Amino acid sequence: MIKLSNLYLILSLFFSLITVKVVAQQNMTNVYGRRVQSLNGKWDAIVDLYDQGRKNKIYLNKKPESKTDFYEYSFDNGLRLNVPSDWNSQLPELKYYEGTIWYGRKFDTVKESNGRLFLYFGAVSYRCRIYLNGEEIAQHEGGFTPFQVEITDAVKEKDNFLAIEVNNTRQVDAIPAMAFDWWNYGGITRDVFLVSTPKVFIDDYFIQLDKTEADKINAHVKLSDKLANSSITIEIPELQLTQTLRTDAQGEIKTSFIARKIIRWSPAAPKLYKVKILSQEDQIEEEIGFRNIGVKGEDIFLNGQPIFLKSISFHEEIPQRKGRAFSQADAVMLLSEAKALGCNMIRLAHYPQNEYIVRTAEKMGFLLWEEIPIWQGIDFENELTKEKAGKMMREMISRDKNRCALAFWGVANETQPSEPRNNFIRHLITTCKSMDTTRLVTAAFDLVRFQKEKQVFVMDDPFVNELDVVAVNKYMGWYHPWPITPDKARWEVARGKPLIISEFGAEALYGKTGDADVVSSWSEDYQATLYKNNLEMFKHIPNLRGTSPWVLFDFRSPFRFHPINQDGWNRKGLVSDQGYRKKAWFLMKEYYDNK
């Protein structure tokens, strides 16, 4: 017997599911190459500390119409927030704010009888509900991946009102979860577009060089509708390649090109080709590079040649502004410092960063490691959390699969072995490989220990066998005291596979001097000593094929409590929060210049 209260709850959930269009559709490929109307700029905002806005239906944006009407809210003449941007950096009162803020704005648009219109968000942190003209049209969870919703039939030409309910409250079943070592920025943090398309448009395409063959380009194109026998043409003009094919019953085509004169993309020569795709109603173009990447034994090969990965990590943050990075100018600032360091790879920590960073990195010649924020504390036993992670992975790959700079999909960072964890990560690996077999799959582990009996570093995590490349975060000299001198520190970790030291380093307050052998000095001198020692240790790791110090810039982190040396910042940066290079930067620069 079902209790009346339980029946009411079940019915409520059922009707909410059939009336609310939860975003589940795959995002169209290459929004930045399409016809868009920007909705960036100043948005009206209401801080909803007690989450009463939905109850009071403020998304209706009602105004008094008679003498007896009144409403206890108004989007007009109040708080104004920049979009894109986080809210924390825009107002002192919002610096630590975690909760709900409502964004609202009006817009006009052109309705085309033979077209469709989509509302696209580059990212909203962390969860949101979308309301258009008083109706809820979409929901999304995940603060670092794009999403879209079709509004063709819901939009008007004049006086549309768009309201976004945004909440960044940390939760146990979220990704990341309750605690993470970066700032919990909230808000509409990336571009917002209206995207216009024909009725049947080029929805998705994946065009990359074959996994192993140096002159074979594979292409897969999908229309928005299952329209059979429709003409699709792919052109790469510089290579004088053109093919026209007819779609199958699913509205898709698959083909391959042999490109004898192709110049493969590499960090030394980041060559991109203009690629055009044309259908009967639509056309789109973008620049795509072609390269082969793979693993053989303990080596990583790029275009058939072994490569050592000279990497660095950074957060999607401009430290001088104390806010999220979101623009082309921000991308250039972050990547230029990595280029000056001599890097050929960026580990985008610890989440998919904005498309300006990804595309600019490709043009500047950086390989990329991209990951979703499976960062400690994840509820691996929660099936819903696993499904969320898979969805985030799909959204990340869908956005960036045509970027040849993308070399690694990261599936986890610093997780503890268990069967639930293993099943969770296997789900992510399966998700990756179902969408893309051209990249390498990796994860960062932190379980390396020193075995006294054999005087060697080892790692006990059998899951490394399921990865293409193994990565290790090991903070020797900081979180871990040296059990042996660096020149005698032998490693026997993940032999038979390439190994990357994906994090190492120490905190140092820029400008602070102190004893070079005292950890608690928090000095540039100790940080430099630690780097010297780690670089010496790296000589004795036989399968080491890359290093990625943690981290390029000092970044904000609420649980860094030391009042003098941290003050809410993780100070492991090679560059200070004001943009000054620390002593260890120059040691790393010399190391990379000589690799």
Side-chain angles (χ1 to χ4, degrees):
M1 180 71 72
I2 299 176
K3 292 183 179 179
L4 186 61
S5 59
N6 290 342
L7 178 61
Y8 177 78
L9 177 60
I10 292 169
L11 289 173
S12 297
L13 288 171
F14 173 76
F15 285 113
S16 69
L17 287 172
I18 63 173
T19 57
V20 175
K21 184 177 181 180
V22 178
V23 175
Q25 65 191 100
Q26 179 176 307
N27 297 311
M28 65 181 74
T29 299
N30 187 20
V31 164
Y32 285 83
R34 299 177 188 265
R35 188 157 56 95
V36 301
Q37 175 186 339
S38 174
L39 295 184
N40 293 345
K42 291 284 187 181
W43 287 49
D44 300 311
I46 297 172
V47 178
D48 187 4
L49 184 62
Y50 287 178
D51 284 310
Q52 296 298 299
R54 202 184 314 157
K55 176 182 177 182
N56 292 325
K57 298 182 179 179
I58 67 175
Y59 50 84
L60 297 175
N61 194 32
K62 285 191 173 182
K63 305 290 191 297
E65 295 179 356
S66 70
K67 292 182 180 180
T68 59
D69 286 346
F70 77 97
Y71 299 99
E72 293 185 288
Y73 68 85
S74 176
F75 281 96
D76 301 333
N77 305 312
L79 176 63
R80 302 264 283 167
L81 292 175
N82 293 320
V83 171
S85 184
D86 61 276
W87 64 53
N88 310 83
S89 63
Q90 296 191 56
L91 202 66
E93 291 85 351
L94 297 177
K95 178 179 178 180
Y96 295 104
Y97 185 68
E98 293 182 319
T100 298
I101 289 183
W102 290 80
Y103 288 76
R105 68 158 293 163
K106 294 180 179 179
F107 69 90
D108 300 333
T109 192
V110 177
K111 291 196 71 172
E112 299 175 352
S113 59
N114 61 342
R116 297 165 71 174
L117 194 63
F118 294 83
L119 181 61
Y120 175 89
F121 291 85
V124 177
S125 185
Y126 165 75
R127 61 187 65 81
C128 65
R129 293 172 182 251
I130 315 296
Y131 303 82
L132 179 61
N133 298 325
E135 297 293 332
E136 184 175 351
I137 59 169
Q139 299 176 17
H140 186 261
E141 179 172 348
F144 306 101
T145 50
F147 61 96
Q148 69 185 43
V149 59
E150 185 169 3
I151 59 172
T152 305
D153 298 327
V155 75
K156 304 178 293 185
E157 287 206 335
K158 298 289 185 181
D159 296 324
N160 293 283
F161 182 72
L162 181 60
I164 318 295
E165 178 188 3
V166 183
N167 182 282
N168 71 330
T169 304
R170 288 166 293 118
Q171 293 183 353
V172 172
D173 64 348
I175 302 171
M178 293 299 293
F180 40 92
D181 190 18
W182 63 88
W183 205 268
N184 184 24
Y185 291 110
I188 304 175
T189 55
R190 296 181 191 163
D191 292 327
V192 184
F193 295 144
L194 293 175
V195 187
S196 299
T197 72
K199 278 193 173 179
V200 178
F201 62 93
I202 300 164
D203 186 32
D204 185 27
Y205 55 89
F206 187 18
I207 301 174
Q208 285 283 279
L209 201 61
D210 189 80
K211 178 73 173 177
T212 57
E213 297 185 45
D215 59 0
K216 182 181 179 183
I217 298 172
N218 298 318
H220 178 201
V221 181
K222 182 173 77 71
L223 295 176
S224 57
D225 295 43
K226 294 181 179 180
L227 187 63
N229 202 37
S230 184
S231 173
I232 291 180
T233 299
I234 304 173
E235 298 178 0
I236 309 177
E238 190 175 343
L239 293 173
Q240 298 181 329
L241 297 174
T242 301
Q243 279 195 28
T244 300
L245 299 98
R246 295 281 174 175
T247 56
D248 61 16
Q250 301 301 310
E252 301 180 30
I253 62 125
K254 294 181 180 180
T255 188
S256 297
F257 299 84
I258 299 300
R260 302 294 185 193
K261 297 181 180 180
I262 195 169
I263 299 171
R264 288 182 288 181
W265 182 98
S266 71
K271 172 66 176 175
L272 302 177
Y273 289 91
K274 181 178 290 186
V275 177
K276 298 180 180 180
I277 307 170
L278 303 93
S279 68
Q280 292 175 196
E281 296 186 41
D282 195 14
Q283 65 179 48
I284 192 166
E285 66 178 52
E286 71 168 311
E287 292 184 314
I288 295 178
F290 302 103
R291 56 92 189 98
N292 309 103
I293 191 159
V295 167
K296 185 176 181 181
E298 295 183 343
D299 287 317
I300 300 168
F301 286 85
L302 178 67
N303 300 330
Q305 299 296 319
I307 186 171
F308 186 87
L309 301 172
K310 300 181 287 187
S311 181
I312 191 69
S313 298
F314 59 66
H315 274 286
E316 188 188 56
E317 179 181 83
I318 302 300
Q320 298 92 327
R321 194 173 68 226
K322 300 179 183 178
R324 275 262 176 253
F326 57 80
S327 68
Q328 178 67 37
D330 291 344
V332 170
M333 190 282 270
L334 293 167
L335 293 165
S336 295
E337 189 62 36
K339 180 63 73 173
L341 186 61
C343 298
N344 62 13
M345 189 174 98
I346 308 290
R347 182 185 179 197
L348 298 174
H350 280 293
Y351 38 79
Q353 298 192 13
N354 69 72
E355 222 170 323
Y356 293 109
I357 289 174
V358 172
R359 288 176 176 267
T360 305
E362 182 172 68
K363 291 177 180 177
M364 293 176 66
F366 292 105
L367 290 161
L368 295 173
W369 165 338
E370 193 169 42
E371 60 195 40
I372 63 172
I374 306 300
W375 192 92
Q376 302 181 9
I378 298 295
D379 185 1
F380 291 120
E381 297 187 19
N382 188 321
E383 190 67 22
L384 180 59
T385 303
K386 184 173 79 171
E387 293 306 313
K388 287 179 189 177
K391 184 172 183 290
M392 290 181 191
M393 186 68 71
R394 289 191 295 274
E395 289 172 341
M396 176 179 72
I397 294 173
S398 177
R399 190 193 74 175
D400 291 336
K401 64 184 177 226
N402 287 302
R403 305 276 64 79
C404 71
L406 251 299
F408 298 93
W409 298 126
V411 294
N413 182 74
E414 297 183 355
T415 59
Q416 300 302 308
S418 71
E419 196 54 37
R421 182 211 69 168
N422 293 348
N423 291 334
F424 192 107
I425 299 177
R426 283 192 193 104
H427 173 65
L428 297 183
I429 293 174
T430 300
T431 300
C432 282
K433 293 184 175 179
S434 70
M435 296 182 70
D436 174 25
T437 59
T438 69
R439 269 85 180 192
L440 304 174
V441 176
T442 189
F445 298 90
D446 64 342
L447 299 173
V448 169
R449 61 182 178 85
F450 185 69
Q451 194 176 80
K452 290 183 179 179
E453 301 79 16
K454 296 183 178 180
Q455 293 287 288
V456 66
F457 286 93
V458 296
M459 183 167 71
D460 303 318
D461 194 329
F463 200 84
V464 301
N465 297 320
E466 305 194 37
L467 301 170
D468 297 313
V469 175
V470 178
V472 168
N473 300 343
K474 189 65 175 176
Y475 288 89
M476 291 306 305
W478 186 247
Y479 298 123
H480 310 288
W482 289 95
I484 196 169
T485 58
D487 60 309
K488 296 180 180 178
R490 294 188 301 111
W491 280 52
E492 292 294 331
V493 173
R495 292 306 306 270
K497 288 180 177 286
L499 180 68
I500 300 172
I501 301 297
S502 42
E503 294 182 25
F504 71 97
E507 296 198 46
L509 183 63
Y510 171 75
K512 187 169 186 180
T513 58
D515 293 332
D517 59 347
V518 177
V519 179
S520 61
S521 69
W522 298 81
S523 67
E524 285 191 61
D525 303 287
Y526 180 74
Q527 187 187 46
T529 295
L530 180 144
Y531 267 75
K532 289 176 183 176
N533 289 337
N534 275 269
L535 295 177
E536 174 61 35
M537 178 180 70
F538 295 162
K539 298 176 184 178
H540 311 287
I541 304 178
N543 55 333
L544 184 68
R545 297 300 180 265
T547 58
S548 192
W550 187 261
V551 58
L552 185 56
F553 288 94
D554 289 350
F555 62 92
R556 300 173 77 198
S557 179
F559 67 70
R560 302 293 173 170
F561 300 129
H562 197 287
I564 298 172
N565 299 312
Q566 292 176 310
D567 192 26
W569 289 82
N570 185 315
R571 300 290 186 187
K572 293 189 183 72
L574 292 172
V575 184
S576 78
D577 58 302
Q578 295 302 307
Y580 295 107
R581 294 168 180 172
K582 303 176 189 177
K583 292 179 180 179
W585 186 97
F586 298 94
L587 293 171
M588 207 66 214
K589 166 69 172 172
E590 182 181 12
Y591 177 73
Y592 280 166
D593 283 350
N594 292 323
K595 291 300 288 185

